[in-house]
């Protein structure tokens, strides 16, 4: 019994040492480690890279389709009394807009009047076309998320189960490098938005949604001031940080699982070789 206890204790100690080494920055990126885990490195790199993009999409999407949030942002950033409308019309406008963007209704025909003009007279066709573009992007987000999630799942399963006698399956180094690159880019954009949201918002439109640039004097723009979109920044960043914390902590679960699977494979092979010799 004492010998069995010693064996179990040594096995636990070895697993602990392997896990600590895998998370040790001084050992994570050594030439020998990267060479040993080259295949798993790129598998985990791509998985983490895509995973960060997915949590970014999720953090934005969950707030974009939130009727209550859009309604609150409108009431706080649109001086509806000055532009000649009322609170009830603003709330109705919020619901109709989000229902359209989230594909709950086919057309966008808000029942609101601004300065005595009904929506049908002050919303140009070019703006309606832009709203359709936004709706298409929001609708595509679900498919993109599900497709990306499937890719991440396949890659992580491959990394977890690809360990052999000579190499581990999961590369903590590859995972964190793949995660770090998009995080730095996103952090740069967030910092830009915090320091100068107007210029970031304009560059975003010029680069990705050029059909969404309209003169500030357009009556419909009174319902979409830049401050309205700036109000989304804190909740989106908060959600993104929560999701990212989960992504950062994921190797704490995956690395031990990968090591356990690899050790089991090695024990099985050793047992099979012993049986064949007998």
């Amino acid at each position: 019994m004492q010998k069995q206890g010693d064996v179990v204790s040594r096995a636990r100690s070895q697993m602990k040492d392997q896990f600590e080494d895998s998370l040790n920055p001084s050992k994570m990126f050594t030439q020998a480690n990267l060479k040993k885990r080259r295949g798993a490195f790129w598998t985990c790199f791509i998985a983490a890279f895509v995973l960060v993009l997915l949590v970014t999409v999720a953090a934005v999407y969950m707030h974009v389709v939130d009727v209550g949030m859009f309604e609150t942002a409108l009431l706080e950033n649109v001086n509806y009394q000055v532009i000649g409308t009322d609170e009830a019309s603003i709330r109705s406008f919020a619901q109709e807009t989000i229902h359209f963007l989230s594909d709950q209704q086919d057309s966008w025909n808000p029942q609101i009047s601004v300065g005595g003009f009904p929506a049908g007279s002050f919303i140009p066709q070019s703006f309606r076309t832009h709203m359709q573009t936004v709706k298409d992007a929001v609708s595509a987000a679900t498919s993109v998320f599900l497709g990306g999630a499937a890719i991440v799942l396949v890659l992580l399963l491959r990394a977890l189960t690809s360990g052999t006698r000579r190499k581990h399956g999961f590369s903590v180094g590859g995972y964190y490098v793949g995660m770090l690159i998009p995080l730095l880019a996103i952090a740069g954009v967030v910092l830009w938005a915090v320091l100068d949201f107007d210029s970031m918002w304009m560059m975003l439109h010029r680069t990705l949604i050029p059909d969404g640039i309209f003169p500030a004097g357009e009556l419909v723009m009174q319902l979409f001031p830049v401050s309205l979109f700036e109000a989304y920044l804190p909740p989106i960043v908060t959600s993104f940080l929560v999701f990212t914390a989960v992504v950062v902590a994921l190797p704490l679960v995956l690395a031990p699982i990968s090591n356990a699977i690899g050790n089991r494979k090695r024990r099985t092979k050793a047992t099979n070789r012993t049986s064949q010799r007998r």
Side-chain angles (χ1 to χ4, degrees):
M1 294 293 292
Q2 180 66 35
K3 290 184 178 180
Q4 290 180 350
D6 292 342
V7 171
V8 172
S9 178
R10 284 198 299 271
R12 289 178 177 174
S13 178
Q14 290 175 356
M15 289 184 65
K16 180 181 178 182
D17 292 341
Q18 289 176 358
F19 181 60
E20 290 177 347
D21 287 348
S22 68
L23 296 180
N24 187 339
S26 65
K27 298 180 180 181
M28 187 183 298
F29 305 113
T30 61
Q31 182 177 358
N33 190 38
L34 294 180
K35 182 178 181 181
K36 177 178 65 176
R37 300 170 176 233
R38 183 167 54 195
F41 180 94
W42 289 111
T43 299
C44 294
F45 176 97
I46 296 171
F49 190 100
V50 174
L51 195 53
V52 172
L53 298 182
L54 290 181
V55 299
T56 304
V57 171
V60 173
Y61 179 85
M62 66 182 293
H63 294 293
V64 167
V65 297
D66 187 335
V67 176
M69 184 169 181
F70 184 51
E71 187 176 289
T72 300
L74 280 170
L75 292 173
E76 292 179 351
N77 294 277
V78 174
N79 195 332
Y80 53 86
Q81 293 176 331
V82 171
I83 65 174
T85 188
D86 54 38
E87 182 177 334
S89 295
I90 290 293
R91 293 184 184 278
S92 173
F93 177 77
Q95 293 179 7
E96 290 177 292
T97 299
I98 298 303
H99 286 169
F100 171 70
L101 294 180
S102 58
D103 214 18
Q104 297 180 51
Q105 61 186 53
D106 296 330
S107 59
W108 185 60
N109 296 301
Q111 303 302 304
I112 187 173
S113 295
V114 173
F117 297 97
S121 65
F122 71 79
I123 300 180
Q125 183 57 46
S126 56
F127 195 88
R128 293 178 183 276
T129 300
H130 166 62
M131 289 297 290
Q132 182 63 50
T133 300
V134 176
K135 177 182 180 178
D136 292 341
V138 173
S139 299
T142 301
S143 299
V144 170
F145 184 86
L146 293 176
I151 291 172
V152 170
L153 183 61
V154 170
L155 291 174
L156 290 180
L157 285 175
R158 178 185 177 189
L160 289 175
T161 59
S162 63
T164 63
R165 183 170 60 86
R166 295 186 178 182
K167 68 177 182 179
H168 295 289
F170 187 81
S171 170
V172 177
Y175 182 93
Y176 281 128
V177 171
M179 184 186 70
L180 184 62
I181 292 175
L183 280 181
L184 289 176
I186 293 168
V189 173
V190 171
L191 180 61
W192 182 8
V194 170
L195 296 177
D196 187 358
F197 187 85
D198 287 10
S199 66
M200 185 282 296
W201 192 244
M202 180 56 69
M203 181 58 69
L204 176 67
H205 279 69
R206 288 176 177 172
T207 305
L208 300 178
I209 39 179
D211 70 343
I213 300 175
F214 297 90
E218 288 273 4
L219 196 55
V220 68
M221 296 307 294
Q222 300 299 312
L223 295 169
F224 293 97
V226 175
S227 60
L228 169 71
F229 301 101
E230 190 173 4
Y232 277 81
L233 187 60
I236 287 176
V237 170
T238 299
S239 298
F240 174 75
L241 291 176
V242 172
F243 295 158
T244 300
V246 175
V247 175
V248 171
L250 203 54
L252 299 178
V253 177
L254 298 182
I257 292 175
S258 178
N259 288 336
I261 293 174
N263 290 335
R264 184 176 180 179
K265 283 184 176 181
R266 287 188 285 274
R267 287 196 299 269
T268 301
K269 289 182 179 179
T271 301
N272 291 337
R273 285 197 298 270
T274 301
S275 301
Q276 289 175 357
R277 289 172 184 172
R278 290 177 181 177

